[in-house]
Amino acid sequence: MRNTVSAPLATDPRRKEPLLPDDLDSLVPGDLVQSWEPWIAWDDECESNKTRKSWRQDGDPLCDAALRAMFPSSLNVHGIDLLDDLQTRAARVKRDGVTDDPLNTFLDSVTAEPPESIRATAEEIELAQKCFASNVLPIILSLLHFSLAGGFASPRITRVLRSESYLIPGKSSPGFSSQETQDRTVSRLLETGQFVVDVMGASLIPTHIQHGTSTTLGRTSEPASEPSKTFRNVRYDEQDWRGAGCLTPGKGEGWKSSLRVRLLHGIARRRILERYERSRNSNGKMANSNGTTTTMPLYYDPSTDGAPLNQEDLAHTLAAFSMAPLYCIAKLGYYPKITAAEAAATTAFWRHVGFYLGIREDILRKHWRNWERCEKFGWTCGLMLVLELQESQKLAKEQGAEEVAAPTIGILTSFGGVAGFDTPIADRLAISRYLLGSRGSDAVHLPPTSLYTSIRIHLSFFASALPAHFGVAYTWFFPSLGHSWSERRGRLTVEGIARLTRYKLGMRRTAFRPRKLEGGLEDSVKREEEVEGDKEELERFMREWKALWEELIRVSAGVVMIVLIGGSALGWSLWVTTL
C-alpha cells in the first residue's frame, strides 16, 4: 500500500520504537514507526496522544441530549425501536409548538444531507457498493479476522464491551465457552452484518403475510411499472433499499440502520455513565430485590477512560470498516487489485456514513478526505492499539494484578457456528495471525500457526479468489458476457449474505434495539422483528445461483477443450512436418 515503508535498519536515526501511548507526543515528521506489521512514516497530520485524549472526552452531544429527553433513565429502554420512538416523540413535540427541543434539533441534524466536504456523490456511493459486491467474501473475512479480532482487543474498548456484555461476557455472564454467550455473540455479529448490508444498498425488502396470502416484496421480482408496495400502511420503495438511495435521509434503509446504531451507542454510553454514578454514590454496592447487596462490578472509569464510545472509538471503528478491508484484500494477494477509483469511492462512502454515525466533521474531513489519509489514519490506529495493550500489561505488572487478556480468541471461537465460517478454530486463528501480522498477533496473544494450517488457509484463499479471476478473464475475451456474469456474481453473492444473515437471526430484521443488561431480547420483541420467508424469491435466487456456476463450468470446460484440441492440432502438425 502507498503509506507503508520498508522496515528501517536498527541504526537508522529515523527509526522510533514508542512503548507507551504518550511516546507518540515526541514523534516528529519523518520518524518511522511500526503499526500492526507495516512501518509508516509519521507526518504532520498523524494525531498525537494528546489530541486523542481530547477526542476521548467527546461523546455525541446531540444524540445524548435527545436520549436524555426521551428517557429519564436508561434502565427500561430494552426492546424499544429507538429511531421509531425518536421520530414519534419529535413529531408530537413539534405539534405542541415547542421550539429548539433536543429531539427535533438532533433529528434535523441527521435528516439533512452531510456538508459538501463530507458528502459522497451518488456515483461514489454506487462505485463503493459495486466494489463491496465484487469483493464481499474477502471483505467479510477481513472484518471478522482483522477489524474485529484486532480492534476489539483495545483495553478501553474491551471495558466498554464488558460493561454492556456486548460480544464480551460481563462478570455475571457465563464465559465464552458457554453456548449462551456464543449464541449472543453470533447474534450481535449478524446484526453488524445487517448494518453493512443495509448501508451497501443490498438489503432484502421484507416479506409479510397479508390477508392470509403471501405478499413478496422481493429484491428483483418487482416489475419496473410497480416500484413499491404497501403493507399495513408501510410503503416499501425499492430505491430506499438499494443503491445510493439507501442513504437518503429520512427514507433510506442504510440511513435508518446508521441512525439506529448511533442511538444504540448513545444508550450504551448512558448506561455505562449511570452505572458509574450509581456505584460511586453507593460505595460500589447494588441493592437486590431480596434486601441484600452485592458489589457492582465497574469495568469502565470515565475519569480515566473518557466518555464511553467517544470520538476516538468511533473514528477507530470507521477505519476498521473503511481502510482495513481494502488493505486485507491487497494482503491476501489472490484477488484482483482494488483500483484507485474504487479506493477513493470507498473512502468517500464511509466518510458519508460516518457523518450519520456521529463522528465529528473535522475528524472526517481530515482523515477521510482521500484514500491516502484514510490508510495512514488506519495504521496510526493500529499503532495506538499496540501501545495501549503494552501500557495495560505494564500497569498490571506494576500493580501486581492479573492481566486482562484480549478477547480475540474468544470472539474468533464464537462465530464458528455461522454457516460459511464454521472452519476449524485453528484456521480462524491462523487467518487472523496472517492478516494482523506478527507484531499485532503477539499483542493480542494469538498462537503461532503450523506449516500445515498455513498451507491450508492459503489454499482456501486461492480457491475463494478463482471466481473473481474467472470473471476478469471472461470479460477480457467476451466483454458483454463476462461483464454480465461478474455483475450477477456480485449481486447474487451479496444477496446470499443478506439471506444468510436474516436466516441466522431467526428470520428477523433487527431494529438494533437495546437489550437487557446481561441478557438478550425478549421473545415478544423478536416476534415484532420477524419477516416471512419468500419461497418464490428463494427459488429464483437458487435458480440464478445454480445457473451462474453452470456457466462458469461450461466456459471453463470449453476453454480446456479448446486448449486440448489446439494443443493436439499443433502437436500433430509439428509431427507431420518432421516426417
Side-chain angles (χ1 to χ4, degrees), residues 14-25:
R14 298 173 301 165
R15 177 176 175 139
K16 305 297 179 183
E17 297 182 3
L19 299 177
L20 300 174
D22 284 340
D23 295 342
L24 296 182
D25 295 340

Side-chain angles (χ1 to χ4, degrees), residues 278-551:
R278 288 198 304 272
S279 176
R280 191 173 64 171
N281 294 336
S282 60
N283 295 320
K285 300 295 182 180
M286 180 172 60
N288 299 319
S289 57
N290 59 5
T292 62
T293 61
T294 55
T295 301
M296 183 184 298
L298 277 180
Y299 304 108
Y300 196 93
D301 186 348
S303 64
T304 56
D305 291 326
L309 295 171
N310 53 59
Q311 288 295 312
E312 183 185 29
D313 300 334
L314 297 177
H316 282 207
T317 301
L318 193 67
F321 281 106
S322 55
M323 171 268 179
L326 300 192
Y327 161 73
C328 289
I329 291 173
K331 181 161 186 178
L332 289 171
Y334 301 104
Y335 294 87
K337 291 183 178 180
I338 299 296
T339 66
E342 288 173 327
T346 299
T347 304
F349 172 85
W350 284 108
R351 183 180 67 233
H352 189 113
V353 173
F355 173 80
Y356 291 119
L357 290 174
I359 300 175
R360 274 177 16 196
E361 295 178 19
D362 61 312
I363 297 175
L364 293 172
R365 287 193 186 96
K366 181 176 182 179
H367 295 293
W368 276 268
R369 72 171 181 267
N370 55 42
W371 163 245
E372 289 73 21
R373 292 315 314 172
C374 174
E375 185 193 10
K376 178 65 74 69
F377 181 71
W379 288 130
T380 59
C381 292
L383 171 61
M384 173 58 72
L385 178 54
V386 171
L387 299 182
E388 285 180 342
L389 287 167
Q390 291 178 174
E391 182 179 50
S392 178
Q393 295 165 4
K394 178 175 178 290
L395 289 174
K397 184 177 295 185
E398 290 175 352
Q399 297 170 1
E402 181 181 357
E403 179 188 344
V404 178
T408 302
I409 293 178
I411 292 175
L412 290 173
T413 301
S414 297
F415 67 72
V418 180
F421 298 96
D422 47 358
T423 53
I425 180 59
D427 287 16
R428 280 172 261 154
L429 297 175
I431 293 171
S432 279
R433 186 168 188 89
Y434 175 70
L435 294 178
L436 290 173
S438 298
R439 189 187 190 201
S441 299
D442 291 343
V444 298
H445 304 299
L446 287 176
T449 302
S450 68
L451 178 62
Y452 171 71
T453 302
S454 179
I455 293 173
R456 190 168 64 226
I457 64 169
H458 280 276
L459 287 175
S460 71
F461 296 157
F462 175 76
S464 65
L466 286 177
H469 286 289
F470 169 82
V472 172
Y474 197 10
T475 302
W476 179 268
F477 290 104
F478 306 97
S480 179
L481 294 174
H483 178 78
S484 173
W485 187 89
S486 295
E487 185 278 329
R488 282 182 287 128
R489 180 186 74 88
R491 173 174 58 81
L492 291 172
T493 303
V494 172
E495 181 178 347
I497 296 295
R499 288 186 176 279
L500 176 63
T501 300
R502 185 176 70 174
Y503 173 73
K504 284 293 184 177
L505 279 170
M507 293 305 293
R508 289 191 300 118
R509 176 173 174 74
T510 180
F512 303 97
R513 305 167 192 253
R515 288 169 162 81
K516 290 182 177 179
L517 288 174
E518 308 287 2
L521 291 175
E522 297 174 346
D523 291 340
S524 60
V525 174
K526 291 181 179 180
R527 284 194 294 270
E528 287 183 30
E529 298 182 340
E530 285 180 354
V531 294
E532 296 291 337
D534 47 353
K535 184 178 179 181
E536 293 180 0
E537 278 293 284
L538 179 60
E539 291 174 350
R540 185 272 311 160
F541 168 75
M542 296 304 296
R543 286 194 304 271
E544 291 190 24
W545 185 253
K546 181 180 178 182
L548 183 81
W549 291 101
E550 287 177 345
E551 184 175 353

